[in-house]
Amino acid sequence: MENNKKPASSAGKFPDNFLWGAATSSYQTEGNNSNSDWWEWEQKGKTKNKSGIACDYWNRWREDHELLSELGVNSFRLSLEWSRIEPEEGVFSFTAIDRYRKMLEDLKKRNIKTVVTFWHWTSPLWFQKKYGWHRKKSVEIFTRYGEKVIDELGDYIDIAVILNEPAMPLVFGFLLGKYPPEKRNPFFCCKAFHNLVKAYKNIYAYIKEKNKRIPTGITTLYNYFEPKYRWCLMSRFLVWAGKKFWNESFFHKIKDSVDYFGLDYYFHDRMSILGIQNENKKVTDVNWEIYPVGIYEVLREIKEKYSLPIYIMENGLADAEDKNRTEFIKDHLAFVSKAIGEGADVRGYFYWSLTDNFEWLYGYAPRFGLVEIDYETLERKPRQSFYAYKKIIKNNGL
Ligand code: BGC
């Protein structure tokens, strides 16, 4: 492909006030979220490992914030665990809310902006058992939770991410039955889709009413789709469908109620009648193709479609030996910089993830962290790439 070449060395500059960050989520790092639907899912043996104590971020958050300061980031993306904040229907835990407040306060003291996800796929078990996203009542219940978060923690939130990648739990939880609530039912999937849209819009409206300064949106897992054969109509149709349904369908429903586009970029998919056929010349430990130019292509698409600021809320790879991570970050950032040079309003980049963590169905084997976790001792050990990223942050560029 023409623009597969690395951008010229003059690229690699970033705007002033660019947000340099790392991302995590509560369920994947906190540990012992035993009141959550995913916890029950694990007990049923549906994941490679059980999450258990995870990284024990719930108790060791100060240590991890120390690492953030060492890394030099000016922002951090983390999430709140709904099942901790509302352990029983309508009953809110002030112990949990206080702990989150302390964490956010600590980040503020360190001059680290807080990017807070309200729902990173996990729900309280009571919610899943009694309602679930496919039931109408879910809208009211989630809205109440979101409003509570704003009332209690709104002053400590710099950017709000109400939902993380809704397409994943919708497709995996309601069509493929691979995530809770293990449904394979297109009708439920549509219901859940619409309920998530409504709940999102309610919380957006509440934030605007109460606390206008918080930029609010969601993250979208946005893949770079290409036809495997340009001449093949079927390949091109599949690209169109991939973009329309996977990348855009949810966002289009809420696009008048967002303040930014939150991009999560991991995948390049060459579509053909035989399915996704990637060249996979270079892959991560979980066999996902490494394709940095894809981030440039999707930034171009997003820039053309929406006139919104863009935050890259996730980009990263599983690489236990840290062989490719530094190059991966540099190559992706070079293409981000190229897109910025051509007018994409990219305001931040969050590497996924700060530490190794619980990778859903895959369990603990994939290592996404800039910081290695020894799961026996929970000791944290920055990898080489941590220092390479630190240097980039310090120079505000490559
Ligand atoms: C999710 C994360 C996950 C990462 C790597 C993203 O789609 O938001 O929770 O760990 O991908 O798979």
Side-chain angles (χ1 to χ4, degrees), residues 24-25 28 77 120-121 164-165 168 179 219-221 264 266-267 286 288 313-314 316-318 352-353 357-360 362 366 368:
T24 60
S25 89
Q28 295 176 269
R77 178 174 170 223
H120 200 118
W121 303 351
N164 179 69
E165 301 176 359
M168 282 293 291
Y179 284 5
T219 65
T220 298
L221 183 59
D264 291 356
Y266 292 94
F267 296 105
V286 282
W288 300 352
M313 292 291 194
E314 282 182 41
L317 81 167
W352 181 274
S353 174
N357 58 51
F358 177 71
E359 180 54 30
W360 309 113
Y362 295 96
F368 279 84

Side-chain angles (χ1 to χ4, degrees), residues 121-321:
W121 303 351
T122 53
S123 302
L125 199 50
W126 59 260
F127 169 84
Q128 196 65 275
K129 289 229 150 41
K130 194 162 166 196
Y131 307 103
W133 282 109
H134 53 300
R135 300 242 159 72
K136 200 170 159 197
K137 186 91 175 163
S138 60
V139 177
E140 183 189 319
I141 305 265
F142 187 73
T143 303
R144 180 178 59 190
Y145 155 72
E147 292 181 354
K148 189 78 182 166
V149 168
I150 293 301
D151 292 346
E152 297 293 336
L153 301 171
D155 291 345
Y156 302 89
I157 298 176
D158 291 308
I159 297 182
V161 180
I162 306 301
L163 306 171
N164 179 69
E165 301 176 359
M168 282 293 291
L170 283 169
V171 170
F172 279 71
F174 287 90
L175 281 184
L176 305 176
K178 296 226 153 97
Y179 284 5
E182 202 178 5
K183 307 267 185 245
R184 291 177 190 82
N185 184 325
F187 176 72
F188 283 169
C189 186
C190 286
K191 286 266 169 218
F193 178 104
H194 288 290
N195 291 335
L196 277 159
V197 166
K198 281 192 203 146
Y200 169 82
K201 286 189 173 171
N202 286 345
I203 299 173
Y204 181 84
Y206 190 75
I207 293 179
K208 296 295 120 178
E209 186 190 314
K210 294 275 163 184
N211 223 320
K212 289 197 179 61
R213 58 165 193 91
I214 309 176
T216 302
I218 64 165
T219 65
T220 298
L221 183 59
Y222 195 107
N223 298 359
Y224 177 45
F225 292 106
E226 270 194 296
K228 169 84 180 153
Y229 307 108
R230 278 181 197 280
W231 48 264
C232 169
L233 274 183
M234 191 55 180
S235 290
R236 283 161 54 179
F237 167 75
L238 290 170
V239 168
W240 173 85
K243 288 184 180 174
K244 182 122 191 106
F245 294 105
W246 184 256
N247 286 352
E248 295 168 5
S249 60
F250 196 92
F251 191 76
H252 276 193
K253 289 277 176 207
I254 61 161
K255 69 178 193 303
D256 297 327
S257 314
V258 292
D259 302 318
Y260 63 82
F261 191 95
L263 164 68
D264 291 356
Y265 172 72
Y266 292 94
F267 296 105
H268 172 219
D269 295 329
R270 284 192 177 88
M271 309 300 275
S272 94
I273 195 158
L274 301 173
I276 297 169
Q277 292 188 299
N278 285 346
E279 283 174 0
N280 287 347
K281 286 185 188 140
K282 207 164 181 189
V283 293
T284 72
D285 290 353
V286 282
N287 254 331
W288 300 352
E289 185 181 1
I290 299 179
Y291 196 71
V293 68
I295 202 165
Y296 166 78
E297 298 291 348
V298 298
L299 285 170
R300 270 204 335 187
E301 287 178 19
I302 294 164
K303 178 191 89 174
E304 270 157 36
K305 263 184 248 149
Y306 320 107
S307 43
L308 285 169
I310 303 167
Y311 291 96
I312 297 159
M313 292 291 194
E314 282 182 41
N315 174 232
L317 81 167
D319 179 16
E321 289 171 27

Side-chain angles (χ1 to χ4, degrees), residues 302-396:
I302 294 164
K303 178 191 89 174
E304 270 157 36
K305 263 184 248 149
Y306 320 107
S307 43
L308 285 169
I310 303 167
Y311 291 96
I312 297 159
M313 292 291 194
E314 282 182 41
N315 174 232
L317 81 167
D319 179 16
E321 289 171 27
D322 205 37
K323 284 191 305 242
N324 299 316
R325 189 172 284 103
T326 297
E327 194 189 351
F328 177 100
I329 295 174
K330 287 188 175 164
D331 289 353
H332 281 78
L333 283 173
F335 280 111
V336 172
S337 160
K338 182 175 178 199
I340 293 175
E342 293 172 14
D345 183 10
V346 185
R347 308 246 177 121
Y349 176 87
F350 293 78
Y351 177 79
W352 181 274
S353 174
L354 175 67
T355 53
D356 292 336
N357 58 51
F358 177 71
E359 180 54 30
W360 309 113
L361 299 181
Y362 295 96
Y364 283 113
R367 302 280 187 153
F368 279 84
L370 292 166
V371 177
E372 181 185 343
I373 300 266
D374 176 333
Y375 288 113
E376 295 288 311
T377 61
L378 293 176
E379 194 195 330
R380 276 84 167 132
K381 210 161 122 211
R383 296 191 161 102
Q384 274 308 314
S385 51
F386 176 99
Y387 298 102
Y389 188 42
K390 176 178 169 145
K391 205 162 147 202
I392 295 170
I393 296 171
K394 188 151 182 268
N395 294 336
N396 195 38

Side-chain angles (χ1 to χ4, degrees), residues 58 82-88 90-102 147-153:
W58 189 245
W82 179 11
S83 67
R84 280 195 196 273
I85 293 186
E86 192 178 356
E88 286 170 53
V91 178
F92 292 92
S93 159
F94 287 94
T95 318
I97 292 174
D98 275 350
R99 174 85 53 111
Y100 282 122
R101 190 179 294 116
K102 284 207 179 73
E147 292 181 354
K148 189 78 182 166
V149 168
I150 293 301
D151 292 346
E152 297 293 336
L153 301 171

